[in-house]
Amino acid sequence: MDKIVIEGGRRLEGEIRIAGAKNAALPALAATLLCPGKFVFSNVPDLKDIETMCKLLAEMGAVVKKESSGILTVDTERLEHCEASYDLVRTMRASCLVLGPLLARLGKSRISLPGGCAIGERPINLHLKGFQNLGAHIALEEGYVNASAPDGLAGQKVYFDLVTVTGTENLMMAAVGAKGTTILENAAREPEVTFLADMLNKMGADIQGAGTDRVVINGGRTLKAVEIAVIPDRVETGTFMAAAAITGGHLKLTGCTPLHLEAVTLKLIEMGCTINEGNDWLEVSGPKRPHPVDIETDPYPSFPTDMQAQAMAVLTVADGTSVITESVFENRYMHVAELRRMGANILHKGKNAFVGGVEKLSGAQVMATDLRASASLIVAGLAAKGKTHVRRVYHLDRGYEKIEEKLKKVGASIARRADRGGE
Ligand code: EPZ
């Protein structure tokens, strides 16, 4: 197991290239199961979760090749299996994204029910209910979802009780293989959903309205394999913006899409940051000391839940009190206890966290519990006085490509070390 050690107090200065988006690449890789052929992906981030999805596709018979940095080919000419095992799914919940495409192409799929995770129970009941609307038979046995549609899927209206990103993506992929028209109401509007719809339309599908809460899919069309570049990672972008904000630094982020994180940019400006942006780049300068802001997370285009922990890290040293409301996940405050170990003054009650700004955090041994909590501990460590040891960084490696190398390049004193327990 590794840990990351940071000597805080350095102002970040320089340029960072943003990687492709994990949460866009995962559904796009699952979509290759929809039809035979050789897909070529570029700008694919080098992440644990991407490796896991590639392993899953290979287990089903696809031929997956990492060509060079960022280029990945997936040949789905032959599909032999339609099962995603518990061991695989428990390491990555997004494995459930193979359900829709397998139902569409093979009329069956057997995947382990994803368990909960640190940030919440995260059921997939809305995915399953949607598949049943399209005529699939769903049986839960021994912790597995057995989905079948022997007579194929038929287009229908699907209403999501809650906005669900992967639920929208899964149903969009199933609907592409259904006869007739499917309408998704209360659909997720995230840029990653729109990216998937763009890829499916390039494959020959007919999807209208992606990016709005009503998506119309005319299914049953012939599909072909495509080449596509993965969109930039808006959460990685926001995380480095938070790093500039907390260190009073100045970063230029290239290969990003500022349009995809306007809610985050507005909050960072309220905190006192100066931000200039172009189509595919932005420059952020942090203030001497951040100002407090109130943040409520909600589905896109509101402030993203995936940036809540990183924003909280910045607000722990603001010159006042901030109120954060986490409205998407029921337990996404695992980072609070760890930030408190660094001297943060946070009171967490239910959905709310009251963050009383302190002058300075102090370095400490802290434990990563989930992907974005780990990112918030890195952000806090960059500004804390002394050394911070962030342990269990395998959480971080799921969603951030070489984060310590990127931060070192802009002046951080940061290194990855083997974690031999009590060190
Ligand atoms: C996606 O997860 C992202 N993951 C998450 O990013 C992100 O935090 C989340 O969307 C919200 O933006 C990927 O795209 C791979 P949801 P997803 O379904 O789709 C409830 C990261 O850090 N719900 O939009 O699993 C659910 O419990 C990860 O990169 C149901 O109740 O999230 C949650 O409270 C973490 N039943 C809310 O809806 C369902 O069937 C939103 O979840 C589905 C969801």
Side-chain angles (χ1 to χ4, degrees):
M1 223 184 280
D2 283 353
K3 65 179 175 180
I4 284 185
V5 184
I6 306 167
E7 177 79 52
R10 297 201 185 192
R11 189 178 168 281
L12 301 187
E13 177 81 50
E15 189 169 308
I16 297 177
R17 176 139 192 93
I18 297 298
K22 164 177 86 82
N23 291 349
L26 292 172
L29 286 167
T32 61
L33 296 169
L34 276 166
C35 69
K38 185 170 179 181
F39 292 78
V40 183
F41 294 96
S42 55
N43 202 32
V44 180
D46 179 12
L47 302 170
K48 198 86 194 79
D49 274 8
I50 300 297
E51 227 175 271
T52 306
M53 181 59 88
C54 291
K55 228 185 268 170
L56 178 55
L57 295 178
E59 264 186 19
M60 292 183 181
V63 178
V64 184
K65 271 204 204 96
K66 203 171 157 186
E67 301 296 343
S68 63
S69 73
I71 308 277
L72 199 62
T73 59
V74 180
D75 189 332
T76 53
E77 203 53 45
R78 294 181 19 262
L79 275 193
E80 285 137 11
H81 306 284
C82 61
E83 178 161 333
S85 68
Y86 172 69
D87 281 345
L88 237 164
V89 175
R90 76 186 170 80
T91 58
M92 187 187 65
R93 332 170 23 72
S95 316
C96 71
L97 282 164
V98 301
L99 260 170
L102 287 172
L103 265 179
R105 180 167 169 190
L106 302 177
K108 62 179 178 184
S109 168
R110 184 169 188 268
I111 75 143
S112 162
L113 254 185
C117 77
I119 64 178
E121 191 216 325
R122 301 185 72 186
I124 59 166
N125 59 313
L126 301 179
H127 301 226
L128 304 180
K129 195 174 129 192
F131 295 137
Q132 285 170 319
N133 278 28
L134 301 188
H137 175 67
I138 303 284
L140 302 184
E141 281 144 20
E142 296 154 17
Y144 275 76
V145 175
N146 290 296
S148 61
D151 309 326
L153 298 172
Q156 262 301 342
K157 185 171 228 185
V158 174
Y159 181 80
F160 289 109
D161 304 342
L162 272 174
V163 174
T164 161
V165 174
T166 48
T168 303
E169 292 163 347
N170 233 339
L171 265 297
M172 224 157 63
M173 292 188 279
V176 156
K179 283 187 281 307
T181 298
T182 296
I183 298 174
L184 304 183
E185 293 285 6
N186 199 24
R189 301 160 57 187
E190 271 66 6
E192 293 76 26
V193 172
T194 306
F195 169 71
L196 177 64
D198 292 346
M199 173 181 167
L200 294 171
N201 282 338
K202 196 173 174 186
M203 289 167 62
D206 172 9
I207 301 175
Q208 311 297 327
T212 74
D213 61 1
R214 186 172 192 273
V215 182
V216 181
I217 302 109
N218 295 310
R221 295 160 61 103
T222 309
L223 304 174
K224 65 179 181 359
V226 294
E227 300 201 1
I228 195 156
V230 176
I231 58 170
D233 194 316
R234 60 194 168 101
V235 183
E236 186 194 25
T237 309
T239 303
F240 287 123
M241 292 169 82
I246 200 170
T247 60
H250 173 92
L251 290 178
K252 179 167 187 182
L253 305 178
T254 58
C256 63
T257 307
L259 193 65
H260 289 164
L261 63 165
E262 287 183 331
V264 174
T265 305
L266 289 173
K267 281 298 169 188
L268 285 166
I269 291 170
E270 268 182 61
M271 288 184 212
C273 291
T274 310
I275 297 173
N276 297 314
E277 50 187 57
N279 261 346
D280 62 355
W281 61 268
L282 66 83
E283 280 186 308
V284 46
S285 299
K288 209 166 153 355
R289 185 173 178 191
H291 305 310
V293 298
D294 295 343
I295 290 175
E296 170 153 5
T297 68
D298 267 313
Y300 192 88
S302 296
F303 193 94
T305 174
D306 290 350
M307 273 299 302
Q308 178 256 106
Q310 301 91 307
M312 184 187 284
V314 181
L315 295 171
T316 61
V317 291
D319 53 12
T321 298
S322 308
V323 182
I324 294 180
T325 307
E326 172 53 59
S327 302
V328 177
F329 289 108
E330 69 271 23
N331 186 34
R332 199 167 204 174
Y333 283 132
M334 302 289 280
H335 43 287
V336 168
E338 299 305 310
L339 289 169
R340 277 209 205 101
R341 288 177 49 70
M342 299 176 72
N345 168 19
I346 308 170
L347 173 67
H348 155 216
K349 269 180 101 51
K351 286 171 60 163
N352 295 320
F354 303 92
V355 187
V358 296
E359 283 281 337
K360 205 98 183 113
L361 293 175
S362 53
Q365 299 255 11
V366 287
M367 198 68 82
T369 49
D370 59 87
L371 171 54
R372 305 304 172 183
S374 350
S376 90
L377 297 175
I378 298 283
V379 168
L382 290 170
K385 191 167 168 304
K387 272 196 177 154
T388 298
H389 297 240
V390 182
R391 309 178 70 174
R392 293 189 186 161
V393 287
Y394 57 85
H395 291 289
L396 200 65
D397 296 337
R398 297 189 48 181
Y400 288 92
E401 189 185 71
K402 308 184 186 72
I403 193 167
E404 73 273 12
E405 288 172 28
K406 292 187 175 183
L407 286 170
K408 197 184 291 180
K409 217 179 84 181
V410 294
S413 164
I414 183 169
R416 180 184 290 258
R417 291 223 196 109
D419 187 355
R420 282 185 278 280
E423 205 176 65

Coordinates of all heavy atoms in Angstrom, one line a residue, residues 22-24 26-27 49 92-94 96-97 117 119-128 160 162-169 188 190 192 234-235 298-300 304-306 327-330 332 370-372 399, ligand 1:
K22 N -12.5 10.4 -16.4 CA -12.8 9.0 -16.0 C -14.3 8.7 -16.2 O -14.7 7.7 -16.8 CB -12.5 8.9 -14.5 CG -13.1 7.6 -13.8 CD -12.7 7.5 -12.4 CE -13.6 8.3 -11.4 NZ -14.8 7.6 -11.1
N23 N -15.2 9.6 -15.8 CA -16.6 9.4 -15.8 C -17.3 9.5 -17.2 O -18.5 9.3 -17.3 CB -17.3 10.3 -14.8 CG -17.0 9.8 -13.3 OD1 -16.4 8.8 -13.1 ND2 -17.3 10.7 -12.4
A24 N -16.4 9.9 -18.2 CA -16.9 9.9 -19.6 C -16.3 8.6 -20.2 O -17.0 7.9 -21.0 CB -16.4 11.1 -20.3
L26 N -15.6 5.7 -18.8 CA -16.2 4.4 -18.4 C -17.5 4.1 -19.1 O -17.6 2.9 -19.7 CB -16.5 4.5 -16.8 CG -15.2 4.5 -16.0 CD1 -15.5 4.8 -14.5 CD2 -14.4 3.2 -16.1
P27 N -18.5 4.9 -19.2 CA -19.7 4.6 -20.1 C -19.3 4.4 -21.5 O -19.9 3.5 -22.2 CB -20.6 5.7 -19.9 CG -19.9 6.8 -19.3 CD -18.7 6.3 -18.6
D49 N -9.5 2.7 -12.4 CA -10.9 2.3 -12.8 C -11.0 2.0 -14.3 O -11.8 1.1 -14.7 CB -11.8 3.5 -12.5 CG -12.3 3.4 -11.0 OD1 -11.8 2.5 -10.3 OD2 -13.2 4.2 -10.7
M92 N -15.3 -1.8 -8.5 CA -15.7 -0.6 -9.3 C -17.2 -0.7 -9.6 O -17.6 -1.5 -10.5 CB -14.9 -0.4 -10.6 CG -15.3 0.9 -11.2 SD -14.5 1.0 -12.8 CE -15.3 -0.3 -13.7
R93 N -18.0 0.1 -9.0 CA -19.5 0.1 -9.2 C -19.9 0.4 -10.6 O -20.9 0.0 -11.0 CB -20.2 1.1 -8.2 CG -19.4 1.5 -7.0 CD -20.1 2.6 -6.3 NE -21.5 2.7 -6.8 CZ -22.4 1.9 -6.4 NH1 -22.2 0.9 -5.6 NH2 -23.6 2.1 -6.9
A94 N -19.0 1.2 -11.3 CA -19.4 1.6 -12.7 C -19.5 0.4 -13.6 O -19.9 0.5 -14.7 CB -18.5 2.6 -13.2
C96 N -21.6 -1.7 -13.5 CA -23.0 -1.9 -13.8 C -23.4 -1.3 -15.1 O -24.4 -1.6 -15.7 CB -23.9 -1.4 -12.6 SG -23.9 0.4 -12.6
L97 N -22.5 -0.5 -15.7 CA -22.8 0.1 -17.0 C -22.8 -0.9 -18.1 O -23.2 -0.5 -19.3 CB -21.8 1.2 -17.3 CG -22.0 2.6 -16.5 CD1 -20.7 3.4 -16.5 CD2 -23.2 3.3 -17.1
C117 N -20.7 1.9 -0.8 CA -19.3 2.4 -0.8 C -19.3 3.4 0.3 O -20.3 3.8 0.9 CB -18.9 2.9 -2.1 SG -19.4 4.5 -2.5
I119 N -19.3 6.5 0.4 CA -20.1 7.7 0.3 C -21.6 7.5 0.4 O -22.4 8.4 0.4 CB -19.8 8.6 -0.9 CG1 -20.1 7.9 -2.2 CG2 -18.3 9.0 -0.9 CD1 -19.8 8.7 -3.5
G120 N -22.0 6.2 0.3 CA -23.4 6.0 0.5 C -23.8 4.6 0.0 O -23.0 3.9 -0.5
E121 N -25.1 4.3 0.1 CA -25.6 3.0 -0.2 C -25.6 2.7 -1.7 O -25.3 1.7 -2.2 CB -27.1 2.9 0.3 CG -27.6 1.5 0.3 CD -29.1 1.5 0.0 OE1 -29.8 2.5 0.4 OE2 -29.6 0.6 -0.7
R122 N -25.9 3.8 -2.5 CA -25.8 3.8 -3.9 C -26.4 2.6 -4.6 O -25.8 1.8 -5.3 CB -24.3 3.9 -4.3 CG -23.7 5.2 -3.8 CD -22.3 5.4 -4.2 NE -22.2 5.8 -5.6 CZ -21.1 5.9 -6.3 NH1 -19.9 5.6 -5.7 NH2 -21.1 6.3 -7.6
P123 N -27.7 2.4 -4.4 CA -28.5 1.3 -5.1 C -28.5 1.6 -6.6 O -28.2 2.7 -7.1 CB -29.8 1.4 -4.5 CG -30.0 2.9 -4.1 CD -28.6 3.3 -3.7
I124 N -28.9 0.5 -7.4 CA -29.2 0.8 -8.8 C -30.6 0.4 -9.2 O -30.9 0.0 -10.3 CB -28.2 -0.1 -9.7 CG1 -28.3 -1.6 -9.4 CG2 -26.7 0.4 -9.5 CD1 -27.6 -2.4 -10.5
N125 N -31.5 0.6 -8.2 CA -32.9 0.2 -8.4 C -33.5 1.0 -9.6 O -34.4 0.4 -10.3 CB -33.7 0.5 -7.1 CG -33.6 2.0 -6.6 OD1 -32.5 2.5 -6.6 ND2 -34.7 2.6 -6.4
L126 N -33.1 2.2 -9.8 CA -33.7 3.0 -10.9 C -33.2 2.5 -12.2 O -34.0 2.6 -13.2 CB -33.4 4.5 -10.7 CG -33.9 5.1 -9.4 CD1 -33.5 6.6 -9.3 CD2 -35.4 4.9 -9.2
H127 N -32.0 2.0 -12.3 CA -31.5 1.4 -13.5 C -32.4 0.2 -13.8 O -32.9 0.0 -15.0 CB -30.1 0.8 -13.4 CG -29.0 1.8 -13.0 ND1 -27.8 1.9 -13.6 CD2 -29.0 2.7 -12.0 CE1 -27.0 2.8 -13.1 NE2 -27.7 3.3 -12.1
L128 N -32.6 -0.7 -12.8 CA -33.3 -2.0 -13.0 C -34.8 -1.7 -13.4 O -35.4 -2.3 -14.3 CB -33.2 -2.8 -11.8 CG -31.8 -3.2 -11.3 CD1 -31.8 -4.0 -10.1 CD2 -31.0 -3.8 -12.5
F160 N -37.3 8.9 -14.2 CA -36.3 8.6 -13.1 C -36.8 9.4 -11.9 O -36.9 10.6 -11.9 CB -34.9 9.1 -13.5 CG -34.2 8.3 -14.5 CD1 -34.0 8.7 -15.8 CD2 -33.8 7.0 -14.2 CE1 -33.4 8.0 -16.8 CE2 -33.2 6.2 -15.2 CZ -33.0 6.7 -16.4
L162 N -35.2 9.9 -9.3 CA -34.1 10.7 -8.9 C -33.2 10.9 -10.1 O -33.1 10.0 -10.9 CB -33.2 9.9 -7.8 CG -33.6 10.0 -6.4 CD1 -32.7 8.9 -5.6 CD2 -33.3 11.3 -5.8
V163 N -32.5 12.0 -10.1 CA -31.5 12.2 -11.2 C -30.3 11.2 -11.0 O -29.7 11.3 -10.0 CB -31.0 13.6 -11.3 CG1 -29.9 13.8 -12.3 CG2 -32.1 14.6 -11.6
T164 N -30.1 10.3 -11.9 CA -29.0 9.4 -11.8 C -28.1 9.4 -13.1 O -28.7 9.2 -14.2 CB -29.5 8.0 -11.5 OG1 -28.5 7.0 -11.8 CG2 -30.8 7.6 -12.3
V165 N -26.8 9.7 -12.9 CA -25.9 9.8 -14.0 C -25.8 8.5 -14.7 O -26.1 8.3 -15.9 CB -24.6 10.4 -13.6 CG1 -23.6 10.4 -14.7 CG2 -24.7 11.8 -13.0
T166 N -25.3 7.4 -14.0 CA -25.1 6.2 -14.7 C -26.4 5.5 -15.0 O -26.5 4.7 -16.0 CB -24.3 5.2 -13.8 OG1 -24.8 5.2 -12.5 CG2 -22.8 5.6 -13.8
G167 N -27.5 5.9 -14.3 CA -28.8 5.3 -14.6 C -29.2 5.8 -16.0 O -29.7 5.1 -16.9
T168 N -29.0 7.1 -16.2 CA -29.4 7.7 -17.5 C -28.5 7.1 -18.6 O -29.0 6.8 -19.7 CB -29.1 9.3 -17.5 OG1 -29.9 9.8 -16.4 CG2 -29.5 10.0 -18.8
E169 N -27.2 6.9 -18.3 CA -26.3 6.3 -19.3 C -26.7 4.9 -19.7 O -26.7 4.5 -20.8 CB -24.9 6.4 -18.8 CG -24.4 7.9 -18.8 CD -23.1 8.0 -17.9 OE1 -22.8 7.1 -17.1 OE2 -22.5 9.1 -18.0
A188 N -30.3 12.8 -16.3 CA -29.1 13.5 -15.9 C -28.6 14.4 -17.0 O -28.7 14.0 -18.2 CB -28.0 12.6 -15.4
E190 N -25.4 15.8 -17.0 CA -23.9 15.9 -16.9 C -23.3 15.9 -18.3 O -23.7 15.2 -19.2 CB -23.4 14.8 -16.0 CG -23.3 15.1 -14.6 CD -24.7 15.3 -13.9 OE1 -25.7 15.1 -14.5 OE2 -24.7 15.6 -12.7
E192 N -20.8 14.3 -19.2 CA -20.4 12.9 -19.5 C -21.6 12.2 -20.2 O -21.4 11.3 -21.0 CB -20.0 12.2 -18.2 CG -18.7 12.7 -17.6 CD -18.9 14.0 -16.9 OE1 -20.0 14.3 -16.4 OE2 -17.9 14.8 -16.8
R234 N -13.6 17.3 -15.8 CA -13.9 18.5 -15.1 C -13.6 18.5 -13.6 O -13.4 19.5 -13.0 CB -15.4 18.9 -15.4 CG -16.4 17.9 -14.9 CD -17.8 18.1 -15.4 NE -18.6 17.0 -15.2 CZ -19.5 16.9 -14.2 NH1 -19.8 18.0 -13.4 NH2 -20.3 15.9 -14.0
V235 N -13.6 17.3 -13.1 CA -13.3 17.2 -11.6 C -11.8 17.3 -11.3 O -11.4 17.9 -10.4 CB -13.9 15.9 -11.0 CG1 -13.7 15.8 -9.5 CG2 -15.4 15.8 -11.3
D298 N -25.8 19.6 -6.1 CA -27.0 19.1 -6.8 C -26.5 18.6 -8.2 O -25.4 18.9 -8.6 CB -28.0 20.3 -6.9 CG -29.0 20.3 -5.8 OD1 -29.5 19.2 -5.4 OD2 -29.2 21.4 -5.2
P299 N -27.4 17.9 -8.9 CA -27.0 17.5 -10.2 C -26.7 18.6 -11.1 O -27.0 19.8 -10.9 CB -28.3 16.8 -10.7 CG -29.0 16.3 -9.5 CD -28.7 17.4 -8.4
Y300 N -25.9 18.3 -12.2 CA -25.5 19.3 -13.2 C -26.7 20.1 -13.7 O -27.7 19.4 -13.9 CB -24.7 18.6 -14.3 CG -24.0 19.5 -15.3 CD1 -22.7 19.8 -15.0 CD2 -24.6 20.0 -16.4 CE1 -22.0 20.6 -15.9 CE2 -23.9 20.8 -17.3 CZ -22.6 21.1 -17.0 OH -21.9 21.9 -17.9
P304 N -21.1 20.4 -8.4 CA -21.0 19.0 -8.4 C -20.6 18.4 -7.1 O -19.7 18.9 -6.4 CB -19.9 18.7 -9.5 CG -19.1 19.9 -9.6 CD -20.0 21.1 -9.2
T305 N -21.3 17.3 -6.7 CA -20.9 16.6 -5.4 C -19.5 16.1 -5.5 O -18.8 16.1 -4.4 CB -21.9 15.4 -5.2 OG1 -21.4 14.6 -4.1 CG2 -21.9 14.5 -6.4
D306 N -18.9 15.9 -6.7 CA -17.5 15.4 -6.8 C -16.5 16.4 -6.5 O -15.3 16.1 -6.4 CB -17.3 14.8 -8.2 CG -18.0 13.5 -8.4 OD1 -18.6 13.0 -7.4 OD2 -18.1 13.0 -9.6
S327 N -26.3 17.4 -1.0 CA -27.7 16.9 -1.3 C -27.8 15.7 -2.2 O -28.8 15.2 -2.5 CB -28.5 18.0 -2.0 OG -28.5 19.2 -1.2
V328 N -26.6 15.2 -2.7 CA -26.7 14.0 -3.6 C -26.4 12.7 -2.9 O -27.2 11.8 -3.1 CB -25.6 14.2 -4.8 CG1 -25.6 13.0 -5.7 CG2 -25.9 15.5 -5.6
F329 N -25.4 12.6 -2.1 CA -25.1 11.4 -1.4 C -25.3 11.6 0.1 O -25.1 12.6 0.7 CB -23.6 10.9 -1.6 CG -23.4 10.4 -3.0 CD1 -22.7 11.2 -4.0 CD2 -24.0 9.2 -3.4 CE1 -22.5 10.7 -5.3 CE2 -23.8 8.8 -4.7 CZ -23.1 9.5 -5.6
E330 N -25.7 10.5 0.8 CA -26.1 10.6 2.2 C -24.9 10.5 3.1 O -25.1 10.8 4.3 CB -27.2 9.5 2.5 CG -26.7 8.0 2.6 CD -26.8 7.4 1.2 OE1 -26.8 8.1 0.2 OE2 -26.8 6.1 1.2
R332 N -21.4 11.6 2.3 CA -20.2 12.1 1.7 C -19.4 13.1 2.5 O -19.0 14.1 2.1 CB -20.5 12.6 0.3 CG -19.3 12.7 -0.6 CD -19.5 12.9 -2.0 NE -18.5 12.4 -2.9 CZ -18.5 12.3 -4.2 NH1 -19.5 12.8 -4.9 NH2 -17.4 11.8 -4.8
D370 N -12.2 7.6 0.3 CA -12.8 7.4 -1.0 C -12.1 8.4 -1.9 O -11.3 9.2 -1.5 CB -14.3 7.7 -0.9 CG -14.7 9.1 -0.4 OD1 -14.7 10.0 -1.2 OD2 -14.8 9.2 0.8
L371 N -12.4 8.3 -3.2 CA -11.7 9.0 -4.2 C -11.6 10.5 -3.9 O -10.5 11.1 -3.8 CB -12.3 8.7 -5.6 CG -11.9 9.6 -6.7 CD1 -10.4 9.5 -6.9 CD2 -12.6 9.1 -8.0
R372 N -12.7 11.2 -3.8 CA -12.6 12.6 -3.7 C -12.2 13.1 -2.3 O -11.7 14.2 -2.1 CB -14.0 13.3 -4.1 CG -14.5 12.8 -5.4 CD -13.5 13.1 -6.6 NE -14.0 12.5 -7.8 CZ -13.3 12.5 -9.0 NH1 -12.1 13.0 -9.0 NH2 -13.8 11.9 -10.0
G399 N -8.9 7.7 -9.6 CA -9.5 8.8 -10.4 C -8.6 9.9 -10.8 O -9.0 10.9 -11.4
Ligands
EPZ1 C1 -21.9 9.1 -11.0 O1 -22.2 8.1 -10.0 C2 -20.4 9.3 -10.9 N1 -19.7 8.1 -11.3 C3 -20.1 9.8 -9.5 O2 -18.7 10.1 -9.4 C4 -20.8 11.0 -9.1 O3 -20.5 11.4 -7.8 C5 -22.3 10.8 -9.3 O4 -22.6 10.3 -10.6 C6 -23.1 12.0 -9.1 O5 -22.7 13.1 -9.9 C7 -19.6 7.8 -12.6 O6 -20.1 8.5 -13.5 C8 -18.9 6.5 -12.9 P1 -26.0 8.7 -9.3 P2 -23.7 7.4 -10.0 O7 -26.7 7.5 -9.8 O8 -24.2 7.4 -11.4 C9 -29.1 7.7 -5.9 C10 -16.5 10.0 -8.6 O9 -16.0 10.5 -7.6 N2 -29.6 6.5 -6.8 O10 -26.1 10.0 -10.1 O11 -23.5 6.1 -9.3 C11 -27.7 7.5 -5.4 O12 -27.7 6.7 -4.3 C12 -17.8 9.3 -8.6 O13 -16.0 10.1 -9.7 C13 -30.6 5.7 -6.4 O14 -31.1 5.8 -5.3 O15 -24.5 8.4 -9.1 C14 -27.3 8.9 -5.2 O16 -27.8 9.3 -3.9 C15 -18.3 9.1 -7.2 N3 -31.0 4.7 -7.2 C16 -28.1 9.7 -6.3 O17 -29.1 8.9 -6.7 C17 -30.4 4.4 -8.4 O18 -30.8 3.5 -9.1 C18 -27.2 10.1 -7.4 O19 -26.5 9.0 -7.8 C19 -29.3 5.3 -8.8 C20 -29.0 6.3 -8.0

